[in-house]
Amino acid sequence: PENRWDSFATMYNIELNKSEVVKEFLDMIKSKKEVTLLYASKEAEHNHAKLLKAFLDKMQKESYHKV
């Protein structure tokens, strides 16, 4: 199962990097102090919301350092 998770995480991050919608979302939230992500999963450790949060945090940090 861990192999499947790693594979999913890799593919999901590739999709997030390519997505125009994600770029638009990042523009929308860049001035926000707090953003709430909702998800429905029985698995607390392996879920897409954690990956999305990590991705958004990374992108915001990179964006901040470019200024």
Side-chain angles (χ1 to χ4, degrees):
E2 193 67 32
N3 256 358
R4 287 181 52 200
W5 172 251
D6 291 343
S7 178
F8 169 78
T10 298
M11 296 304 293
Y12 190 58
N13 276 295
I14 289 169
E15 285 185 41
L16 291 172
N17 274 304
K18 291 180 181 179
S19 175
E20 288 300 317
V21 174
V22 171
K23 291 174 187 167
E24 292 171 17
F25 182 69
L26 284 164
D27 283 341
M28 280 181 13
I29 65 170
K30 67 182 171 187
S31 64
K32 306 295 183 199
K33 182 178 178 182
E34 188 172 293
V35 175
T36 302
L37 301 175
L38 303 176
Y39 72 98
S41 175
K42 293 178 182 177
E43 179 61 54
E45 196 61 34
H46 296 113
N47 65 68
H48 73 282
K50 288 188 100 168
L51 295 174
L52 179 58
K53 181 188 180 316
F55 178 84
L56 294 174
D57 288 346
K58 176 183 170 205
M59 296 307 288
Q60 284 190 311
K61 187 180 288 185
E62 287 177 6
S63 175
Y64 176 76
H65 289 298
K66 288 181 183 177
V67 175

